Amino acid sequence: MRAQPSLTWRPLTRDDAKVSADLLNAMEAVDRIGEHYTEEDTLQELIDPYADLGRASLAVFDGDVMVGFMKVRHKPTADEVHRVFLDGGVHPDHRRRGLGTALVSAGVAAAKVVHDLHHPTSKLVVDVHKGEHIAGLAELLRSHGFEPVRYYEYLEHPLGEAIPDAAIPDGLRVEPWSAANDEEFRSVRNESYQDHWGATPMPADAWRNKITNQTFRPEVSFLLRDAAAGTAVGVLVTMCWDADTAATGVRDARFMLIGTLRRHRERGVAGALVGHALRAAADHGYDRATASVDSASPFGASGLFERAGFTPTMRHVRWALEV
């Protein structure tokens, strides 16, 4: 249903970075999920190599102002299930007018298109990841057949001078990210995430787009290496959004990726990485550290962060529609 015929509907383009950032920041003012954007941030989303803007996006304009959008991201690889990610939103001043319904319907249809192009023999599932507290969202998604399948706790640590130095397990040594070990970071992420729910290997182009972009913070990103074998066994990647800092005055070190190779688990690798990164973030002038954990994860991530001094702040929901 397109209840406002005066509006203009068209696919997103790379030239929409500024108006996309304006829309997302207007949504943040009401939804309060802690995400602010610059034009550079939204451009990074628009040049995602796995976002087919021509076939799988839609933007809604009231004159020159973007008031709603949807964008679908397909997976580079898929086995039995291909989980397509649907993102979108509506400007607070234009909600409750049918735009959300139209955009979700268009997003599901677009997911089918890119699924048939890339992984037609797999089962299609459409995922939406949003803050649990956003008004009206649950009703909208349920009306399209989506159901909650996963919950993610968002946690934060205030940092400060009381953070102790982290003990590195015997036989391991820590090293910061560099261009020389970047491929090892990606390799450990891909191998360690093989048993993480919904994860797929991240190819080099996706790694550059999603990880080592303008928000990446190499000074707070670390690798643990087996000193005897010389192999990387665990990684932690930190990111920080300048738009968040400008809007809140808080410099936030977001621990975006933490991974340990399966054969090196239960040795304190993840705890050592988190402790070392907390100390580094404090030393580099960050005000707090944040992370998110899958509440159904079998790896005890919530306990890891709680022991390190993190406390929960909000919860996001992963909604899914089996097509």
Side-chain angles (χ1 to χ4, degrees), residues 166-174 223-228 233 260 264-276:
I168 304 301
D170 291 342
L172 302 179
R173 69 171 186 267
V174 64
L223 173 152
L224 277 184
R225 189 180 299 281
D226 185 310
V233 303
T260 305
H264 291 276
R265 291 172 184 167
E266 309 298 331
R267 295 181 57 191
V269 170
L273 283 166
V274 169
H276 191 82

Side-chain angles (χ1 to χ4, degrees), residues 31-108:
D31 297 337
R32 303 290 185 182
I33 60 173
E35 295 181 2
H36 305 84
Y37 291 84
T38 65
E39 182 176 350
E40 188 176 13
D41 295 332
T42 49
L43 177 60
Q44 201 66 36
E45 296 291 328
L46 294 170
I47 63 174
D48 183 336
Y50 300 96
D52 187 336
L53 298 183
R55 294 186 180 93
S57 76
L58 188 61
V60 191
F61 288 85
D62 185 355
D64 294 331
V65 178
M66 185 187 292
V67 298
F69 81 101
M70 76 80 184
K71 179 166 59 69
V72 166
R73 184 179 195 273
H74 66 273
K75 289 291 182 69
T77 60
D79 293 320
E80 292 85 0
V81 177
H82 177 211
R83 307 195 77 92
V84 171
F85 183 72
L86 169 60
D87 192 17
V90 175
H91 193 290
D93 293 343
H94 288 259
R95 292 176 179 174
R96 303 293 183 181
R97 302 181 188 182
L99 296 188
T101 295
L103 288 167
V104 173
S105 295
V108 172

Side-chain angles (χ1 to χ4, degrees), residues 283-317:
D283 290 345
H284 282 88
Y286 289 85
D287 300 301
R288 73 179 178 205
T290 57
S292 67
V293 297
D294 179 349
S295 59
S297 169
F299 308 115
S302 295
L304 166 70
F305 285 108
E306 289 170 4
R307 289 190 295 274
F310 286 76
T311 56
T313 57
M314 73 175 75
R315 194 166 74 157
H316 279 50
V317 183

Side-chain angles (χ1 to χ4, degrees), residues 149-223:
V149 295
R150 219 76 173 182
Y151 295 89
Y152 292 81
E153 293 284 356
Y154 281 56
L155 309 104
E156 68 177 39
H157 190 297
L159 297 178
E161 297 181 358
I163 299 171
D165 291 331
I168 304 301
D170 291 342
L172 302 179
R173 69 171 186 267
V174 64
E175 60 187 65
W177 178 92
S178 70
N181 62 23
D182 176 71
E183 183 57 25
E184 290 181 287
F185 269 77
R186 185 174 73 90
S187 177
V188 171
R189 182 271 173 200
N190 285 342
E191 185 175 344
S192 65
Y193 273 56
Q194 286 179 357
D195 47 8
H196 284 227
W197 182 86
T200 58
M202 185 176 285
D205 55 355
W207 179 260
R208 290 190 298 269
N209 177 263
K210 293 297 184 186
I211 305 301
T212 55
N213 56 39
Q214 75 281 357
T215 67
F216 176 56
R217 297 297 181 260
E219 74 278 7
V220 198
S221 298
F222 300 99
L223 173 152

Side-chain angles (χ1 to χ4, degrees), residues 132-151:
E132 185 179 42
H133 62 280
I134 298 176
L137 180 70
E139 294 82 357
L140 171 63
L141 293 175
R142 287 189 186 278
S143 72
H144 285 80
F146 285 82
E147 293 293 338
V149 295
R150 219 76 173 182
Y151 295 89

